[in-house]
Amino acid sequence: MRDVYAGIDIGGTNTVVGLFDERMNLVMKSSFATVKPDRIAGAAPMLDRLAEEVLRLAEDSGAGGRLRRVGIGVPGQIDAALGIVRDASNLGWRDVRLAAEMKKRLDVPVVIEHDVRSYAKGEAVGGAGKSCRDFICLTVGTGIAAAIMVDGAMVRGANGLAGEFGHDIVDGEAAPCACGKSGCLETIASATGIARLAEELVLSGRIPELAARRGSITAQHVYQACMQGDPDAKALFERVGTLIGRKLAGLVYALDPELIIVGGGVAAAGDLLLEPIRQELRRHCPHQASYLKVAAAQLGDEAGLIGALHTGLIGDERAGM
Ligand SMILES: [Zn+2]
């Protein structure tokens, strides 16, 4: 019987489980709807469902093997060393002893990590960040957040909040943010922000090709309008990229990375988003411009699975087992 490993990405809507062989190649993948917390049992029904899915995959005749280790990426504030999810508002979890509870159910070592750091770790293992020891990895999706690797080690900060720059305020902006503040970077530079700003433009008669979609415009629709050559849709992506570049400049001065990886759903817009980021960084950080690269993430959703599995294995002495 061969050894198998599980890398898991818990999301607010769906949870993805990847099963890997000894050489860390993905051999099977499945997903299920994340189970909402129970008023009395809390996160337990979700943890039971997750354990059941991991065991089902491990026992499947196609992959069939002895489960050796599990890594889990979670959207929220994590204490990786203690294996505790402090606060994951998307999941409705507070102080969930995730690593210990899953170890009890699966009887193998379980490590946990913030989902953006898992994603970045995946890109570091086999994607855009391969052989790079100093980089910043952004995910631009429903929200925006960064994971930071310095000298080969993931930076978590004193309370696991390192890289949450989506809640840094942009001067002159006032849209309410899910976090309770107003004018956060995330209210503009995210799929949600792009959709909101496009709705405003359409309301004032701009981006006519989206007029019929009023009320249900997504960032992807705005991207399609760009592809059709709409100048206002293009200007919107440029505004978002420029803003991200402006905020990144501060991080570049603080950390001196050699690479910035941009991933997440909105990054599918490619150079439409990356080029304004590059331009703004060249403008603000001319001394770093000769070596600082801005590249798209390469692994897509699998980055999170690969990274979760590698938590605690490379450049990550502080993650508990
Ligand atoms: Zn916020």
Side-chain angles (χ1 to χ4, degrees), residues 14 17 28 104-105 122 139 187 190 204-205 217 233 240 248 278 302 307 312:
N14 285 305
V17 180
M28 286 187 88
K104 204 157 77 186
R105 287 165 172 81
T139 55
T187 65
S190 64
S204 62
I217 296 172
V240 166
L248 278 174
R278 289 186 187 113
E302 280 174 22

Side-chain angles (χ1 to χ4, degrees), residues 122-134:
E123 288 290 333
V125 170
K130 212 168 173 180
S131 77
C132 181
R133 293 174 58 81
D134 290 272

